[in-house]
Amino acid sequence: MHPKRIVITGGASGLGFALAQLAAKAGWRVCIVDRDEERGEAVIGSLQRLQPDSFFMPCDVTRISDLERVAQTLTDRWQGIDVVVNNAGVAQVGKITETSISDWQWIIDINLLGVVRGCKAFIPLLQKEGGGHLINVASMAGLLDVPNMSAYNATKSAVVSLSETLENELAPDNIHVAAVCPSFFKTNLGKGMRSNIEGMEAKLDKLMASSKLNANDIAKTIMRTIERKQSYTLPHRQGRVAWYLKRFLPRSWYRRVLHKATK
């Protein structure tokens, strides 16, 4: 039986790279793709020391041609793929009245359509393989409704809905689909963040620093999700509690809890 083959978008840093390291340590063949070519070339050596048959490809998820080129390379080099992780994403914070349409288009193109393009490029490889795993990285923002994050929340909610739909659609193909929904954790999400709220960068840094989980912890939960074929991964306990409150409390009670938590 050949080692598992995994492709990870946004795989040169943060959660994507943490997952790549775990997969390589497990003996999986790893392909990381990222638009940051300099970063990708800098880190691929550390993966190849763990699993020699790992490689990096520059790729921008806003271009379907880039993803199709990766898919063709995976077919030529590995004759297919077993695990696809759509991880690339960006953040946007701001009141809806102060968030430009161009910012909406920017975040939708990456967070939602980037995942859609990844699905369209890589699902045929999983179908040809007779099954596999499709992991879409969303966020607790896709399950909750924190104010001043309408664009980000909407894209991540769409990724959750897309994943749920594909779970049904791809079941006959023996393709396991999961949505990963972490809360804030220490990553480079703020690096390309667009915000029109003063001091948001510092607040985001504080939220990420306060997390009890890091990128490696989240990556471990994704590995378990693949192993157990779970539909959702909610790594943070506080996030799970908030989701349960939203689902089971009257809306007015939940909103009071949310207001206190976000003051």
Side-chain angles (χ1 to χ4, degrees):
M1 185 176 178
H2 65 72
K4 275 193 169 66
R5 303 155 297 179
I6 184 171
V7 59
I8 306 168
T9 70
S13 62
L15 175 58
F17 185 63
L19 180 60
Q21 288 179 304
L22 286 183
K25 285 177 183 176
W28 296 13
R29 289 181 279 183
V30 181
C31 171
I32 55 171
V33 303
D34 204 292
R35 65 180 177 181
D36 188 341
E37 189 168 354
E38 184 178 346
R39 174 72 181 172
E41 296 292 354
V43 301
I44 189 59
S46 64
L47 293 181
Q48 290 171 337
R49 284 191 288 273
L50 296 167
Q51 165 51 269
D53 195 8
S54 297
F55 67 103
F56 163 73
M57 286 189 70
C59 173
D60 186 337
V61 298
T62 66
R63 294 198 290 258
I64 186 67
S65 58
D66 279 18
L67 289 155
E68 288 172 342
R69 186 174 67 253
V70 173
Q72 186 58 55
T73 301
L74 293 171
T75 300
D76 295 340
R77 182 162 176 162
W78 290 346
Q79 292 73 56
I81 197 72
D82 302 294
V83 182
V84 173
V85 182
N86 287 308
N87 166 68
V90 293
Q92 196 285 330
V93 180
K95 296 181 182 298
I96 192 166
T97 52
E98 298 167 8
T99 301
S100 67
I101 291 298
S102 64
D103 274 1
W104 272 90
Q105 291 170 328
W106 169 75
I107 198 169
I108 289 171
D109 200 21
I110 297 170
N111 285 7
L112 174 56
L113 292 180
V115 174
V116 171
R117 294 184 190 100
C119 290
K120 289 183 71 64
F122 298 129
I123 285 173
L125 275 64
L126 296 176
Q127 290 172 322
K128 188 175 180 180
E129 198 67 30
H133 302 266
L134 175 64
I135 312 297
N136 294 327
V137 178
S139 166
M140 283 307 302
L143 300 175
L144 303 177
D145 41 77
V146 176
N148 300 326
M149 296 181 66
S150 57
Y152 185 72
N153 294 352
T155 59
K156 292 301 186 179
S157 180
V159 171
V160 172
S161 180
L162 173 67
S163 302
E164 292 169 338
T165 304
L166 292 179
E167 183 178 31
N168 298 325
E169 188 173 317
L170 299 175
D173 296 309
N174 195 33
I175 297 174
H176 156 239
V177 183
V180 179
C181 299
S183 302
F184 289 109
F185 63 98
K186 191 64 179 175
T187 184
N188 59 347
L189 184 65
K191 183 180 177 183
M193 181 180 71
R194 296 186 182 183
S195 172
N196 54 45
I197 296 181
E198 189 175 347
M200 193 60 218
E201 290 82 357
K203 185 175 182 180
L204 181 61
D205 285 343
K206 184 179 178 181
L207 283 168
M208 293 193 296
S210 68
S211 173
K212 294 180 180 179
L213 302 181
N214 58 31
N216 192 58
D217 296 321
I218 309 298
K220 287 178 180 177
T221 68
I222 295 175
M223 294 293 280
R224 286 197 295 270
T225 293
I226 294 169
E227 180 185 351
R228 299 172 184 174
K229 294 187 176 181
Q230 296 167 320
S231 301
Y232 305 93
T233 297
L234 282 63
H236 290 82
R237 180 181 179 277
Q238 188 176 11
R240 292 194 297 272
V241 170
W243 190 44
Y244 296 148
L245 291 175
K246 179 180 179 180
R247 292 169 68 194
F248 298 117
L249 284 181
R251 180 70 181 175
S252 59
W253 293 12
Y254 163 72
R255 286 185 62 210
R256 284 199 290 269
V257 172
L258 183 67
H259 177 71
K260 288 181 181 178
T262 57
K263 280 182 68 176

